[in-house]
Amino acid sequence: MRNVTSDVLVAYASKHGSTEKIAHWIGKEIRGNVDVLNVSNVHSLNYDYIILGTPIYEHEPLPEMSSFINRNKDQLENKKKSVFVVSSDNEVRSKREMNIEAFTNIIPGEINQTAVFAGEMDNSELSSKELESVNSYMSSISKPTGSYSKLNEKKCREYGKSLNRFV
Ligand SMILES: Cc1cc2nc3c(=O)[nH]c(=O)nc-3n(C[C@H](O)[C@H](O)[C@H](O)COP(=O)(O)O)c2cc1C
């Protein structure tokens, strides 16, 4: 039995809230002193384990997450870490791989575990620029445009639980 409590950070970026929800579900399943923070509120990386989560917009991680990683490259390189991405769906393997690679490609050092979760989107919350972008993206993958909620709390919590073996 270990008697040392690890300090764990779940750091996320989120534009419309689904990645934030997922980050909190994951954080609840992890043993240790867990902080779940938006990257804009992370002021120290003095943690034993770090979980990074971002949604994919226009095939890329959110810019806030990319610049957070850039700013902290040296410290992140030697940290124990896992990641997750959130996207419009996670059914097609090639798309899952593309989305996770768009994120892992910019992260220095070793990554223990990755996951892709489907998120949610409420069209009434989107700006006209976002609507235009999402319409062209959805038609490029032959999917109907429209609001959806594909969040799966159980799967997200299971991922959180599975990370306890690294913490
Ligand atoms: C303008 C826009 C562009 C998007 N582009 C992509 C994309 O390129 N690939 C993808 O898989 N999902 C894409 N999505 C879906 C989002 O990743 C998904 O809705 C996610 O849940 C958003 O996370 P958030 O609520 O944390 O901001 C896009 C959504 C919007 C609104």
Coordinates of all heavy atoms in Angstrom, one line a residue, residues 14-19 55-59 86-88 95 99 119-121 126 130 133-134 137 148, ligand 1:
S14 N -11.3 24.8 -23.2 CA -12.6 24.5 -23.6 C -13.3 25.8 -24.1 O -13.2 26.8 -23.5 CB -13.4 23.9 -22.4 OG -14.7 23.5 -22.8
K15 N -13.9 25.7 -25.3 CA -14.6 26.9 -25.8 C -16.1 26.9 -25.4 O -16.6 27.9 -25.0 CB -14.4 27.0 -27.3 CG -14.6 28.3 -27.9 CD -14.1 28.3 -29.3 CE -14.2 29.6 -30.0 NZ -13.9 29.5 -31.4
H16 N -16.7 25.8 -25.5 CA -18.2 25.7 -25.2 C -18.5 24.8 -24.1 O -19.7 24.5 -23.9 CB -18.9 25.3 -26.5 CG -18.9 26.4 -27.6 ND1 -19.6 27.6 -27.4 CD2 -18.2 26.5 -28.7 CE1 -19.4 28.3 -28.5 NE2 -18.5 27.7 -29.3
G17 N -17.6 24.3 -23.3 CA -17.9 23.7 -22.0 C -17.8 22.2 -22.0 O -17.7 21.6 -20.9
S18 N -17.8 21.5 -23.1 CA -17.8 20.0 -23.0 C -16.5 19.4 -22.5 O -16.5 18.5 -21.6 CB -18.3 19.3 -24.3 OG -17.7 19.8 -25.4
T19 N -15.4 20.0 -22.9 CA -14.1 19.5 -22.4 C -13.9 19.8 -20.9 O -13.4 19.0 -20.2 CB -12.9 20.1 -23.2 OG1 -13.3 20.0 -24.6 CG2 -11.6 19.5 -23.0
P55 N -10.4 20.3 -26.8 CA -11.2 19.9 -28.0 C -10.4 20.2 -29.3 O -9.4 20.9 -29.3 CB -12.4 20.9 -27.9 CG -11.8 22.1 -27.1 CD -10.7 21.6 -26.2
I56 N -11.0 19.6 -30.3 CA -10.4 19.8 -31.7 C -11.3 20.8 -32.4 O -12.5 20.5 -32.5 CB -10.3 18.5 -32.4 CG1 -9.3 17.5 -31.7 CG2 -9.8 18.7 -33.9 CD1 -7.8 18.0 -31.6
Y57 N -10.7 21.9 -32.9 CA -11.5 22.8 -33.7 C -10.7 23.0 -35.0 O -9.5 23.3 -35.0 CB -11.6 24.2 -33.0 CG -12.7 24.2 -32.0 CD1 -12.5 23.8 -30.7 CD2 -14.0 24.7 -32.3 CE1 -13.6 23.8 -29.8 CE2 -15.0 24.8 -31.4 CZ -14.8 24.3 -30.1 OH -15.8 24.4 -29.2
E58 N -11.4 22.8 -36.1 CA -10.8 22.9 -37.4 C -9.5 22.1 -37.5 O -8.4 22.6 -37.8 CB -10.6 24.4 -37.8 CG -11.9 25.1 -37.8 CD -11.9 26.5 -38.4 OE1 -10.8 27.0 -38.6 OE2 -13.0 27.0 -38.6
H59 N -9.5 20.9 -37.0 CA -8.5 19.9 -37.0 C -7.3 20.2 -36.1 O -6.3 19.5 -36.2 CB -7.9 19.7 -38.5 CG -9.0 19.5 -39.5 ND1 -9.8 18.3 -39.5 CD2 -9.5 20.3 -40.4 CE1 -10.7 18.5 -40.4 NE2 -10.5 19.6 -41.0
V86 N -11.3 16.0 -27.4 CA -12.8 16.0 -27.5 C -13.1 16.5 -28.9 O -12.6 17.5 -29.4 CB -13.4 16.9 -26.4 CG1 -15.0 16.8 -26.5 CG2 -13.0 16.5 -25.1
S87 N -14.0 15.7 -29.6 CA -14.3 16.1 -31.0 C -15.8 15.8 -31.3 O -16.5 15.4 -30.4 CB -13.4 15.3 -31.9 OG -13.8 14.0 -32.1
S88 N -16.1 16.0 -32.5 CA -17.6 15.9 -32.9 C -18.0 14.4 -32.8 O -19.2 14.2 -32.5 CB -17.8 16.4 -34.3 OG -17.0 15.7 -35.2
K95 N -10.3 8.9 -37.9 CA -10.6 10.2 -37.4 C -10.1 10.4 -36.0 O -9.5 11.4 -35.6 CB -12.1 10.5 -37.6 CG -12.3 12.0 -37.6 CD -13.7 12.4 -37.6 CE -13.8 13.7 -36.8 NZ -15.1 13.9 -36.3
N99 N -7.2 13.0 -34.9 CA -7.5 14.0 -33.8 C -6.5 13.9 -32.7 O -6.0 14.9 -32.2 CB -8.9 13.9 -33.3 CG -9.9 14.6 -34.2 OD1 -9.5 15.5 -35.0 ND2 -11.1 14.2 -34.2
G119 N -18.0 15.1 -27.9 CA -18.4 16.2 -27.1 C -19.9 16.5 -27.4 O -20.7 15.7 -27.7
E120 N -20.1 17.8 -27.2 CA -21.5 18.3 -27.5 C -21.4 19.6 -28.2 O -20.4 20.4 -28.0 CB -22.4 18.3 -26.3 CG -21.9 19.3 -25.2 CD -22.8 19.2 -24.0 OE1 -23.8 18.5 -23.9 OE2 -22.4 19.9 -23.0
M121 N -22.5 20.0 -28.9 CA -22.5 21.3 -29.6 C -23.9 21.8 -29.7 O -24.8 21.0 -30.1 CB -21.9 21.1 -31.0 CG -21.5 22.4 -31.7 SD -20.7 22.0 -33.2 CE -22.0 21.4 -34.2
L126 N -23.3 29.1 -31.1 CA -22.2 29.4 -32.0 C -22.3 30.8 -32.7 O -23.4 31.2 -33.1 CB -22.1 28.3 -33.1 CG -21.9 26.9 -32.6 CD1 -21.8 25.9 -33.8 CD2 -20.8 26.7 -31.7
E130 N -18.4 30.6 -36.6 CA -18.3 29.2 -36.1 C -19.3 28.3 -36.9 O -18.9 27.2 -37.3 CB -18.5 29.1 -34.6 CG -17.4 29.5 -33.7 CD -17.7 29.3 -32.3 OE1 -18.7 29.8 -31.8 OE2 -16.9 28.7 -31.6
S133 N -18.0 27.6 -40.3 CA -16.9 26.6 -40.2 C -17.4 25.2 -39.9 O -17.0 24.2 -40.6 CB -15.9 27.1 -39.1 OG -15.2 26.0 -38.6
V134 N -18.4 25.1 -39.0 CA -18.9 23.8 -38.6 C -19.7 23.2 -39.8 O -19.6 22.0 -40.1 CB -19.6 23.9 -37.3 CG1 -21.1 23.9 -37.4 CG2 -19.2 22.7 -36.4
Y137 N -17.2 21.9 -42.3 CA -16.6 20.7 -41.7 C -17.5 19.5 -41.8 O -17.1 18.4 -42.3 CB -16.1 20.9 -40.3 CG -15.6 19.7 -39.6 CD1 -14.5 19.1 -40.1 CD2 -16.3 19.1 -38.6 CE1 -14.0 17.9 -39.4 CE2 -15.9 18.0 -38.0 CZ -14.8 17.4 -38.4 OH -14.3 16.2 -37.8
Y148 N -25.9 18.6 -31.1 CA -25.8 17.2 -30.6 C -25.2 17.2 -29.2 O -24.5 18.1 -28.8 CB -25.0 16.3 -31.6 CG -23.5 16.8 -31.7 CD1 -22.6 16.5 -30.8 CD2 -23.2 17.6 -32.8 CE1 -21.3 17.0 -30.9 CE2 -21.9 18.0 -33.0 CZ -20.9 17.7 -32.0 OH -19.7 18.2 -32.2
Ligands
LIG1 C1 -16.4 25.8 -35.3 C2 -16.2 24.4 -35.0 C3 -15.2 23.6 -35.6 C4 -15.0 22.2 -35.2 N1 -14.1 21.5 -35.9 C5 -13.9 20.2 -35.5 C6 -12.9 19.4 -36.2 O1 -12.1 19.9 -37.0 N2 -12.8 18.1 -35.9 C7 -13.7 17.5 -34.9 O2 -13.5 16.3 -34.7 N3 -14.6 18.2 -34.3 C8 -14.7 19.6 -34.6 N4 -15.7 20.3 -33.9 C9 -16.4 19.7 -32.8 C10 -15.9 20.1 -31.4 O3 -14.6 19.6 -31.2 C11 -16.8 19.6 -30.3 O4 -18.1 20.2 -30.4 C12 -16.3 19.7 -28.9 O5 -17.2 19.1 -28.0 C13 -16.1 21.2 -28.5 O6 -15.5 21.2 -27.2 P1 -15.8 22.4 -26.1 O7 -17.3 22.3 -25.8 O8 -15.0 22.0 -24.9 O9 -15.4 23.7 -26.7 C14 -15.9 21.7 -34.2 C15 -16.9 22.4 -33.6 C16 -17.0 23.8 -34.0 C17 -18.1 24.6 -33.3

